[in-house]
Amino acid sequence: MTTLHSTPRADGFYMPAEWAPQTQAWMIWPERPDNWRLGGKPAQAAHVAVAKAIARFEPVTVAVSAAQYENARARLDVPNIRVVEMSSDDAWVRDTGPTFVINNDGQVRGVHWDFNAWGGFDGGLYAPWNRDCQVGSKILEIERAARYRTEGFVLEGGSIHVDGEGTLITTEECLLNRNRNAHLSREEIEAVLGAHLAVDKVIWLPDGLFNDETDGHVDNFCCYVRPGEVLLAWTDDPQNPNYPRCQAALKVLETTTDAKGRTLVVHKMPIPGPLYATAEECAGVDAVEGSQERNPSVRLAGSYVNFLIVNGGIIAPSFDDPLDEPAREILQALFPQHEVVMVPGRELLLGGGNIHCLTQQQPAPHKE
Ligand code: KQY
């Protein structure tokens, strides 16, 4: 594997927006019994549904442990899905996988961020996380893509969204959290993001969604739908714990400009629920010291914003909620050239995230 000691920006590479053409999407098979109930069986079924939905639009590679290889291979029984053996600590390839960057000369490389399981021993979700730490490099090696390594700079892919035109959105709750890069100031973090993703402007939302166990990943709260336009999870209910978070984010989004000097158009997406895990669902998760505890009284951070854009499709979670259909209509209106496919997301949410968190798009190289 080639590790480069320059930066993507210095070499003419940038992170494209998610709607840019893709060669494939990556996923990792869920199986950890202290995160996924009943040994991961219901989550695996949900995962298969997501992989097959994506495979209608583009190839999918699913990484799986040796122990689960045969099972995953048998269940992912469509031609567009490749299964490769890879060890990991869990399934969150958005966060453990590389962030792919491209140049205008048809090349693809990857940024392999440092990873500490969403906070290490200061609020992280499990330990150890050494196998997750290797996922970014392993994927880049399979793809023969050169790697930029940010040793000592922790970042999860779910904590950022870009417009591909120089602007990045994130949250202070996550990126300025003392459990990520406490040794760096806001300006120093912006400099690392600028050097590795070729962004010129960082928009800082104060917080993510209430009870998001990642410390407020932006991909569960707010995303770009096209340059200059964002979609923000929203509630008008002052009793909803997300109300102050939504208000604060809207204030930032309405009063900022992006790297191109545009004022942003903010679309709103209703928040489903309130959603809670049942006592039975929580009882199906192995209790392990140091792993995230599951409790039926804790409100789940369900969000329709946690969708993936693929070539010609939008793969979004449904929650068996009255807002599912309105959410689908909002997404379809925002992406008229894409087919919106909703896939049951409850089992994924029970594990602490959703479709965007469980996928990683690989942009297609192109020549300008
Ligand atoms: O939402 C994500 N990006 C990851 C969630 C991890 C949850 C682990 N239980």
Side-chain angles (χ1 to χ4, degrees), residues 35 90 92 95 118 125 213-214 217 219 294 351-353 357:
N35 191 63
D90 203 353
W92 307 98
D95 297 339
W118 307 277
L125 300 177
E213 63 194 51
T214 63
H217 271 190
D219 72 343
R294 298 294 168 201
C357 312

Side-chain angles (χ1 to χ4, degrees), residues 58 152 175:
E58 64 188 39
L175 259 66

Side-chain angles (χ1 to χ4, degrees), residues 248-269:
L250 184 64
K251 192 168 165 200
V252 170
L253 292 166
E254 285 184 337
T255 54
T256 194
T257 51
D258 67 12
K260 299 254 187 234
R262 290 176 290 230
T263 302
L264 297 173
V265 176
V266 183
H267 303 278
K268 293 174 180 169
M269 173 61 87

Side-chain angles (χ1 to χ4, degrees), residues 232-256:
L232 175 66
W234 189 257
T235 179
D236 284 314
D237 176 7
Q239 302 309 315
N240 187 320
N242 284 299
Y243 184 81
R245 293 165 179 258
C246 296
Q247 294 288 332
L250 184 64
K251 192 168 165 200
V252 170
L253 292 166
E254 285 184 337
T255 54
T256 194

Side-chain angles (χ1 to χ4, degrees), residues 45-288:
H47 209 75
V48 167
V50 173
K52 288 186 174 179
I54 298 171
R56 286 184 47 214
F57 299 94
E58 64 188 39
V60 183
T61 299
V62 180
V64 58
S65 70
Q68 278 290 307
Y69 176 82
E70 207 175 341
N71 179 39
R73 184 59 284 179
R75 290 173 197 275
L76 295 163
D77 54 344
V78 295
N80 227 7
I81 302 182
R82 170 175 74 161
V83 178
V84 298
E85 193 180 310
M86 186 185 294
S87 47
S88 66
D89 294 301
D90 203 353
W92 307 98
V93 70
R94 172 66 52 190
D95 297 339
T96 58
T99 300
F100 288 97
V101 290
I102 61 173
N103 68 3
N104 292 331
D105 200 22
Q107 290 177 290
V108 179
R109 294 178 178 171
V111 181
H112 181 191
W113 312 100
D114 215 346
F115 176 80
N116 71 355
W118 307 277
F121 294 108
D122 181 10
L125 300 177
Y126 51 69
W129 53 85
N130 57 306
R131 290 205 173 90
D132 274 350
C133 260
Q134 297 166 352
V135 165
S137 290
K138 289 177 177 173
I139 288 177
L140 293 173
E141 187 148 13
I142 288 172
E143 293 301 307
R144 298 187 187 281
R147 162 185 106 132
Y148 298 94
R149 175 67 171 153
T150 67
E151 204 73 59
F153 181 79
V154 172
L155 187 118
E156 303 100 41
S159 69
I160 56 166
H161 264 306
V162 298
D163 68 353
E165 297 189 358
T167 305
L168 179 148
I169 300 187
T170 189
T171 65
E172 294 172 344
E173 182 185 358
C174 184
L175 259 66
L176 299 187
N177 199 304
R178 63 168 192 215
N179 65 13
R180 299 309 207 280
N181 296 295
H183 58 299
L184 298 178
S185 67
R186 177 193 300 255
E187 293 71 26
E188 288 167 330
I189 290 170
E190 289 185 352
V192 178
L193 296 172
H196 288 82
L197 303 172
V199 292
D200 303 310
K201 171 88 188 243
V202 176
I203 297 176
W204 293 91
L205 306 183
D207 294 301
L209 216 57
F210 176 73
N211 267 355
D212 187 319
E213 63 194 51
T214 63
D215 298 315
H217 271 190
V218 78
D219 72 343
N220 206 31
F221 188 48
C222 181
C223 66
Y224 268 106
V225 297
R226 61 185 59 82
E229 295 187 36
V230 297
L231 179 62
L232 175 66
W234 189 257
T235 179
D236 284 314
D237 176 7
Q239 302 309 315
N240 187 320
N242 284 299
Y243 184 81
R245 293 165 179 258
C246 296
Q247 294 288 332
L250 184 64
K251 192 168 165 200
V252 170
L253 292 166
E254 285 184 337
T255 54
T256 194
T257 51
D258 67 12
K260 299 254 187 234
R262 290 176 290 230
T263 302
L264 297 173
V265 176
V266 183
H267 303 278
K268 293 174 180 169
M269 173 61 87
I271 296 168
L275 302 172
Y276 294 89
T278 65
E280 188 190 346
E281 287 168 338
C282 293
V285 179
D286 285 4
V288 170

